[in-house]
Amino acid sequence: MTAGPIVAVPESCLEAADQLLSSVVRGTRGAWPRACAWLLRLALEAAMDDYWWRCHPEVLPMRARSPQFLILDRYAGRSIAARAGYAWSALSRAGHHHCYELGLTAGELRRLREMVATVISDLAAARVGHERGSDDHD
């Protein structure tokens, strides 16, 4: 029997990020902010995959994330797309080590965590076939 691909579940990624944000996790000293950023980004990407699979499966073969975020406003609405794009960009930047920059603080990660949770919820509730609809003026 062949095992299928490992699929991230947004909620489990959020729970793991919450654990890093709320308690000391052994072995993560100094690395927990970046690990938390990667978990949050993974949660957002899993929610995007679920949205595209459910609403517009023709987008799934496009494995690059940037184009998926660029067209999200057309399908899910401008407000969702703006929050999703901002969170993904901030988390992508935070996930990479830059010796000349400070990492994100716990407060910044909590704010991004709430934004990601909202985007996940909004994408789960987004209806199929939404194109340039009511939230176009957000």
Side-chain angles (χ1 to χ4, degrees):
M1 178 173 176
T2 306
I6 296 173
V7 178
V9 177
E11 293 76 20
S12 63
C13 293
L14 287 178
E15 287 173 17
D18 288 343
Q19 186 177 9
L20 288 172
L21 286 168
S22 64
S23 61
V24 176
V25 178
R26 188 177 202 143
T28 62
R29 190 172 123 205
W32 72 266
R34 206 165 42 209
C36 186
W38 283 116
L39 285 165
L40 293 172
R41 181 179 147 174
L42 186 59
L44 179 59
E45 289 176 351
M48 288 278 292
D49 286 345
D50 178 62
Y51 172 78
W52 291 124
W53 178 81
R54 193 171 35 85
C55 297
H56 301 284
E58 66 277 7
V59 175
L60 276 176
M62 185 187 321
R63 294 311 310 162
R65 292 291 175 182
S66 295
Q68 290 181 6
F69 282 98
L70 288 172
I71 64 173
L72 187 61
D73 71 331
R74 176 175 177 86
Y75 295 102
R78 185 177 293 162
S79 177
I80 294 172
R83 286 192 315 272
Y86 174 82
W88 188 76
S89 177
L91 293 166
S92 295
R93 186 163 178 78
H96 296 297
H97 177 70
H98 302 278
C99 60
Y100 51 87
E101 292 182 354
L102 295 173
L104 294 179
T105 65
E108 291 168 325
L109 285 165
R110 282 187 192 95
R111 185 176 53 81
L112 284 167
R113 187 258 182 244
E114 292 309 313
M115 184 179 292
V116 167
T118 300
V119 170
I120 289 169
S121 175
D122 290 347
L123 286 173
R127 44 187 206 284
V128 177
H130 175 85
E131 291 192 32
R132 298 258 183 226
S134 60
D135 79 342
D136 214 18
H137 301 293
D138 286 354

